Amino acid sequence: AQSVSQHNHHVILSEAASLELGCNYSYGGTVNLFWYVQYPGQHLQLLLKYFSGDPLVKGIKGFEAEFIKSKFSFNLRKPSVQWSDTAEYFCAVNTNAGKSTFGDGTTLTVKP
Amino acid sequence: DAGVIQSPRHEVTEMGQEVTLRCKPISGHNSLFWYRQTMMRGLELLIYFNNNVPIDDSGMPEDRFSAKMPNASFSTLKIQPSEPRDSAVYFCASITTGGTEAFFGQGTRLTVV
């Protein structure tokens, strides 16, 4: 069965600090990879996705993620966070069977 | 398209009552998912449908929970009888053909008192 592991449960940063959130998955087949964001009181929104091609994916709001197949990882990065990035971030994996599995989420708090 | 539509947005009910949550997926999406989100357990996949057929319901916590998808444009998640520990936000999501990007509804916040 597929699974997704997010290493950091809660990350606290000051504005302008760099961000990297870890995500590892376990599944032997072809996967599509996603990062979702959930701002306080809102529903999940897609940040970025990887299907194939360039393993470095750029998403909205300055976020990017790199797919490293050999490490089964898809870490999320942002060079300089803002207070408005305070949210919960979910990594997700979709298999070709259409099943979507989410990590437990990482809560990011950015201090102004 | 209006996106994935869930109703109601909020539900407060007494323990023991039946609760029905509704979801209208995006037209043309052939997979539909029900998730539950709580502080303690995070985001849990309850059940997912492909072409209106339940594929994996291993995440459904108990027999009190049931889900149906009578047609491609409508699904329900029912809890009968409801209990306080069922209090959570329930999300519905639909996925484009091929199992790629998931679009989420705004969720139903259920409170069972």
Side-chain angles (χ1 to χ4, degrees):
Chain A
Q2 68 209 61
S3 66
V4 178
S5 174
Q6 291 183 238
H7 316 299
N8 313 102
H9 185 65
H10 195 177
V11 173
I12 302 173
L13 296 173
S14 298
E15 274 195 314
S18 64
L19 169 72
E20 180 159 4
L21 303 182
C23 173
N24 285 88
Y25 67 93
S26 64
Y27 183 74
T30 302
V31 294
N32 297 321
L33 300 159
F34 304 81
W35 276 97
Y36 289 87
V37 60
Q38 187 175 26
Y39 297 103
Q42 297 188 27
H43 60 286
L44 287 162
Q45 301 171 45
L46 182 69
L47 260 186
L48 48 79
K49 58 191 177 186
Y50 171 80
F51 296 159
S52 63
D54 188 344
L56 185 61
V57 179
K58 295 194 183 298
I60 61 172
K61 303 185 181 185
F63 286 90
E64 64 178 32
E66 184 175 12
F67 171 51
I68 302 179
K69 189 173 181 180
S70 60
K71 295 184 178 180
F72 296 87
S73 70
F74 190 57
N75 292 354
L76 180 71
R77 299 195 293 249
K78 185 170 184 178
S80 176
V81 295
Q82 302 171 315
W83 175 79
S84 58
D85 293 325
T86 294
E88 191 161 14
Y89 293 80
F90 293 90
C91 180
V93 168
N94 284 8
T95 68
N96 54 10
K99 183 172 181 178
S100 183
T101 303
F102 283 76
D104 290 337
T106 298
T107 300
L108 171 65
T109 301
V110 180
K111 297 186 291 185
Chain B
D1 199 313
V4 176
I5 299 173
Q6 290 186 247
S7 63
R9 291 291 308 278
H10 299 272
E11 175 87 31
V12 180
T13 190
E14 289 185 340
M15 183 174 64
Q17 297 297 308
E18 177 181 296
V19 174
T20 300
L21 311 182
R22 297 173 176 79
C23 175
K24 182 180 185 308
I26 291 175
S27 177
H29 287 192
N30 68 342
S31 293
L32 182 142
F33 299 73
W34 281 101
Y35 293 91
R36 177 172 68 177
Q37 185 180 38
T38 62
M39 287 290 291
M40 295 297 292
R41 296 186 297 269
L43 199 61
E44 303 172 280
L45 175 63
L46 299 178
I47 184 171
Y48 83 100
F49 295 85
N50 193 38
N51 293 323
N52 312 338
V53 176
I55 302 300
D56 184 351
D57 65 354
S58 58
M60 297 284 263
E62 299 172 34
D63 290 345
R64 298 184 295 107
F65 285 70
S66 63
K68 293 182 180 179
M69 193 163 185
N71 56 62
S73 60
F74 184 65
S75 177
T76 59
L77 178 68
K78 186 177 293 186
I79 308 172
Q80 166 63 21
S82 57
E83 296 182 4
R85 59 195 169 114
D86 301 331
S87 298
V89 179
Y90 291 81
F91 287 101
C92 174
S94 68
I95 295 185
T96 56
T97 301
T100 55
E101 178 182 343
F103 292 81
F104 283 79
Q106 292 196 307
T108 295
R109 182 174 296 277
L110 173 65
T111 303
V112 183
V113 298

